[in-house]
Amino acid sequence: MNILTENYLVKNLRAYPLLRKKFMSYIKGLNQFPEGFTKNKLFHDYLKVRRHNPEKRVSQSEYMIFGFCNLSEKEQKKYLTDVEATRLMRPYNSESEPYLKSKETFLKNFTRFIHRGWLYVPDASYEEFCEFVHKYHTVALKPQYSSWGIGFLRLTEEELRENENPREFYEKMCSGKYLAEEFVESCDELAVFHPSSLNTLRVITFRCGERFEVFGCGLRVGNNGLHVDNAHGGGIFCEMDPANGEIITDGLDECSNSYVTHPMTGVKFKGTKIPHWKEIVELCREASMELPCLRVVGWDVAILSDGRLELIEGNHNPGMNIVQAPAKHGVHDKFASMLLDYYGEPEQYKKALQS
């Protein structure tokens, strides 16, 4: 094997055309370039950041939302990328992946925290699927293993009835391993930001035995009339204070555009207090105790229109963007330190599990 093929610089040179194409496509979403930067200057600075931080595998979005173009290398090291976070969590969280990655398995294991109706379409007949849609009138359709809102569909009873070939649509949902869920709506306090989407709270927690702590949290709301609140689907996110549930930053989207108020509704982000915050934290604490393997989890929680709390899903490798980017403070050292404090060194932790 030629050692040059494993050289990081050579790999970057070979990836240059694709990286450039992806970067230029990504920055089309920017409302305003950072002062002193053009498209080309941003791209070449992004390449420099990747070259100087090979272990971070910085994505285009992370480069922009963290503001790396204006940070020194020392300051860049303070941020935790998705790749780094996954690498750090893997020794402790691998056991929880089967229970959280599969949406169907998650719903089966956390039934006492879930009130919405749901149906795994491949396990249902065509008639049962139609009955489910009829019962709830509007349903959310999600691929079993999807994330970032990819593949999400909203289906009404009328739309299914007017479909030229509803059975073919059902078969497509079966082959795509879709879940059908009752389409639920946010409480007034959260719906006011963007009524078309279910706006949710991301709560990242640590748990070891009876010890429990909220590492960080944030609010995610939809945008542009879409039904998803995920940033990858065009949504806006902001950071909250874990102590009292108050929003402490302006909103931010995946393209690093900042919003004092929601661009569609004009509702201000910073300073808003999320209702039922103590109950939300308690729900996450109880959910984290549900299975022995749950350690670091990113819980997605909704407050429904009738005031009930609803657990939407749990993430075994939660991204840390929501607790870094809006306030522009990196959590790399804090996160790594808490992992060691709660669980010890990875090798020691593995030995403890085996003993």
Side-chain angles (χ1 to χ4, degrees), residues 53 55-56 66 73-81 84-85 88 92 206 213 215 320 323-324 329-342:
N53 299 280
E55 77 287 353
K56 288 186 171 295
F66 295 158
E73 287 184 41
K74 182 178 180 181
E75 291 172 318
Q76 291 169 7
K77 299 290 185 186
K78 295 178 181 179
Y79 285 82
L80 185 64
T81 63
E84 286 180 301
L88 286 170
Y92 313 107
F206 276 65
E213 186 173 345
F215 175 80
M320 300 296 152
V323 296
Q324 297 183 105
H329 54 188
V331 300
H332 182 285
D333 292 351
K334 177 185 176 184
F335 188 77
S337 176
M338 278 189 65
L339 283 173
L340 292 175
D341 182 34
Y342 265 71

Side-chain angles (χ1 to χ4, degrees), residues 14-218:
R14 287 178 174 173
Y16 180 92
L18 179 60
L19 279 173
R20 182 179 174 80
K21 183 177 179 180
K22 289 177 64 178
F23 189 85
M24 292 304 171
S25 176
Y26 164 77
I27 61 174
K28 287 180 181 178
L30 284 179
N31 292 338
Q32 184 177 352
F33 286 100
E35 187 175 352
F37 282 86
T38 62
K39 290 182 181 180
N40 286 330
K41 189 173 180 181
L42 269 178
F43 174 64
H44 288 288
D45 187 65
Y46 170 58
L47 292 182
K48 183 179 73 173
V49 167
R50 283 174 58 93
R51 187 168 64 250
H52 291 167
N53 299 280
E55 77 287 353
K56 288 186 171 295
R57 299 282 298 276
V58 181
S59 70
Q60 295 101 323
S61 175
E62 288 167 336
Y63 168 78
M64 292 302 302
I65 64 177
F66 295 158
F68 273 14
C69 60
N70 292 314
L71 298 182
S72 66
E73 287 184 41
K74 182 178 180 181
E75 291 172 318
Q76 291 169 7
K77 299 290 185 186
K78 295 178 181 179
Y79 285 82
L80 185 64
T81 63
D82 283 348
V83 168
E84 286 180 301
T86 298
R87 189 183 299 127
L88 286 170
M89 284 184 279
R90 186 176 291 128
Y92 313 107
N93 271 8
S94 58
E95 289 178 285
S96 67
E97 182 173 354
Y99 300 98
L100 300 180
K101 190 171 183 179
S102 160
K103 288 180 170 58
E104 182 193 14
T105 304
F106 174 82
L107 290 167
K108 287 179 177 178
N109 279 280
F110 293 87
T111 53
R112 69 188 184 100
F113 306 101
I114 294 162
H115 307 97
R116 65 194 185 277
W118 64 275
L119 179 77
Y120 184 49
V121 182
D123 287 347
S125 67
Y126 170 68
E127 290 73 21
E128 288 170 330
F129 173 69
C130 292
E131 287 174 9
F132 183 85
V133 178
H134 174 69
K135 178 179 180 180
Y136 293 110
H137 307 299
T138 304
V139 300
L141 295 163
K142 309 172 183 177
Q144 159 84 307
Y145 292 102
S146 72
S147 57
W148 301 343
I150 296 172
F152 178 92
L153 297 170
R154 179 180 179 271
L155 177 71
T156 66
E157 182 180 8
E158 183 180 6
E159 287 170 338
L160 181 63
R161 186 169 56 247
E162 293 179 352
N163 191 300
E164 291 184 0
N165 196 332
R167 188 176 289 274
E168 184 178 302
F169 178 82
Y170 156 76
E171 290 171 354
K172 183 179 179 181
M173 295 299 99
C174 288
S175 62
K177 298 181 179 179
Y178 269 75
L179 274 165
E181 297 182 6
E182 174 187 359
F183 191 88
V184 292
E185 297 181 344
S186 298
C187 64
D188 290 344
E189 293 91 337
L190 296 186
V192 68
F193 288 102
H194 185 259
S196 301
S197 55
L198 178 66
N199 304 318
T200 61
L201 308 163
R202 168 61 61 88
V203 186
I204 302 169
T205 65
F206 276 65
R207 200 269 301 177
C208 184
E210 294 297 316
R211 190 181 175 192
F212 171 84
E213 186 173 345
V214 175
F215 175 80
C217 49

Side-chain angles (χ1 to χ4, degrees), residues 295-310:
R295 296 172 187 107
V296 183
V297 181
W299 304 104
D300 291 340
V301 182
I303 309 174
L304 302 186
S305 54
D306 60 5
R308 289 183 299 173
L309 301 183
E310 182 81 356

Side-chain angles (χ1 to χ4, degrees), residues 1-19 47 50 54 57:
M1 180 184 293
N2 189 334
I3 194 169
L4 286 177
T5 62
E6 296 303 306
N7 184 282
Y8 186 79
L9 178 59
V10 171
K11 286 184 177 181
N12 267 290
L13 287 171
R14 287 178 174 173
Y16 180 92
L18 179 60
L19 279 173
L47 292 182
R50 283 174 58 93
R57 299 282 298 276

